[in-house]
Amino acid sequence: MGPTASGKSTLAMQIAARMPVEIISVDSAQAYRGMDVGTAKPSAAERAAVPHHLIDIIDPTDAYSTARFREDALLLIAEIAGRGRLPLLVGGTMLYFKSLREGLSILPQADAGVRAAIDARAARQGWPALHAELARVDPATAVRLQPADAQRIQRALEVHQLTGQALSRLQEQRQFAPEPPYWPIRIALIPRERAVLHRRIEERFEAMLRHGLVEELRALRRQFALTEQLPSMRTVGYRQAWAHLEGVLSAGELHDRGIFATRQLAKRQLTWLRATPDVQAFDCLADDLAARVHAYLRARLEDMQAAGAS
């Protein structure tokens, strides 16, 4: 686990060179076909060298839920272990990791009509006004959301309208599944210097722009019936590129807004990691990161084997 630009994919490939693993993507954006540049997907060569799963499995017009990820990931974990290999889950979608650890909340399915009505109100009033409304009906959720966090504000208001209950209250009522038959080893990549991570984020987003992020989105808009409200188009980078294509952001603003949004994403990911129990943290900026992580994994696996774990 780790924030964006912390080197998760690189480390995963280095582990794969030392251990018999198959990689399961824990990245909600990499699930979308055609969204390659802006999601920093593993290259074709990397995917040919090491099996990767849950990448390019849906079109950007579709949605991939946390419940579906959990079901798919648990099935893959069992299949990979059955092949005598180690499942290596890699990504930064912390809600997906949390679903494996804690199960899922009892929440209603998305309702297109309710969402369309909320979007229409947001177009008239602005998302800060809807955030203020959310603060009245669900203050616990509102306090952890930014006033411009359209996707999460929409979902919280949708849940309240469909159930009459606050999202935060329903999230406390989790459906705990039976403990999966494996022992997870949780590793987090956390930078010792936030400023260095910020420079990495800036360099990576600039590389995405050079490698054709805007052109990729333009082609996707020709191929699919996309709207800016789709989950795929709310992904950091694509959301800003969409605004640029619509003439809302200049090229310079796209650059600055994309970097800022990615830094905010990294901040949220680090907050999740700090609240996650039983995690071994490693400095993602260390020169000997791969060797340190490999030694730690070998020691943990030997401990588990000694204890009779499968």
Side-chain angles (χ1 to χ4, degrees):
M1 300 179 284
T4 185
S6 60
K8 299 181 295 294
S9 296
T10 298
L11 177 60
M13 292 302 295
Q14 291 170 332
I15 292 172
R18 295 168 167 87
M19 305 177 76
V21 304
E22 295 186 28
I23 295 171
I24 299 174
S25 170
V26 190
D27 187 312
S28 59
Q30 290 186 356
Y32 295 110
R33 300 184 190 97
M35 293 173 56
D36 303 330
V37 176
T39 63
K41 284 179 185 171
S43 67
E46 289 170 331
R47 292 165 68 177
V50 180
H52 285 67
H53 305 276
L54 300 187
I55 295 176
D56 291 341
I57 57 174
I58 57 171
D59 289 337
T61 48
D62 299 327
Y64 190 65
S65 67
T66 304
R68 181 175 167 188
F69 164 80
R70 188 177 192 274
E71 180 180 352
D72 289 347
L74 290 174
L75 180 61
L76 282 165
I77 288 169
E79 290 177 351
I80 294 167
R83 291 192 283 270
R85 301 176 69 83
L86 295 170
L88 179 59
L89 289 88
V90 182
T93 302
M94 300 304 167
L95 186 59
Y96 285 4
F97 280 117
K98 187 175 183 179
S99 75
L100 290 175
R101 188 177 70 249
E102 298 182 5
L104 296 170
S105 303
I106 306 171
L107 297 177
Q109 295 293 316
D111 186 297
V114 171
R115 290 195 167 193
I118 294 172
D119 286 338
R121 291 174 52 211
R124 296 192 304 269
Q125 303 171 25
W127 286 106
L130 270 66
H131 182 267
E133 176 184 329
L134 180 62
R136 292 191 293 272
V137 300
D138 186 357
T141 297
V143 75
R144 61 182 177 81
L145 300 182
Q146 296 295 319
D149 194 343
Q151 185 174 3
R152 292 177 176 83
I153 293 170
Q154 180 199 58
R155 177 56 172 161
L157 288 174
E158 175 191 36
V159 168
H160 184 263
Q161 289 187 35
L162 291 173
T163 68
Q165 298 187 62
L167 172 64
S168 56
R169 183 174 181 83
L170 290 175
Q171 287 176 329
E172 295 172 354
Q173 303 170 16
R174 293 196 171 272
Q175 293 178 324
F176 288 98
E179 189 70 19
Y182 58 82
W183 289 11
I185 301 173
R186 300 187 179 97
I187 292 173
L189 301 186
I190 298 179
R192 65 179 181 275
E193 296 180 44
R194 187 77 64 89
V196 177
L197 180 67
H198 284 180
R199 286 199 297 272
R200 280 191 179 184
I201 288 171
E202 181 175 355
E203 291 168 358
R204 190 167 81 158
F205 191 73
E206 289 174 346
M208 288 177 178
L209 292 176
R210 290 195 306 272
H211 294 155
L213 172 61
V214 174
E215 291 74 17
E216 179 179 78
L217 177 57
R218 185 180 287 115
L220 287 170
R221 287 177 18 146
R222 289 196 297 266
Q223 182 179 0
F224 298 100
L226 299 175
T227 71
E228 61 183 323
Q229 300 303 327
L230 286 167
S232 60
M233 294 298 104
R234 290 180 174 180
T235 302
V236 169
Y238 290 94
R239 183 169 69 245
Q240 290 75 29
W242 185 287
H244 173 64
L245 289 178
E246 292 294 309
V248 176
L249 297 180
S250 67
E253 290 170 328
L254 164 61
H255 171 275
D256 294 344
R257 297 278 187 90
I259 291 171
F260 176 77
T262 310
R263 288 176 176 173
Q264 290 298 108
L265 170 62
K267 181 179 179 181
R268 293 194 298 271
Q269 290 168 319
L270 287 168
T271 299
W272 273 84
L273 286 172
R274 293 191 191 96
T276 303
D278 303 322
V279 173
Q280 178 66 42
F282 288 87
D283 176 17
C284 65
L285 307 177
D287 293 334
D288 59 347
L289 173 63
R292 287 174 178 266
V293 171
H294 178 248
Y296 174 74
L297 288 174
R298 294 305 316 177
R300 288 296 309 275
L301 289 169
E302 289 171 3
D303 290 344
M304 291 178 177
Q305 289 169 357
S310 60

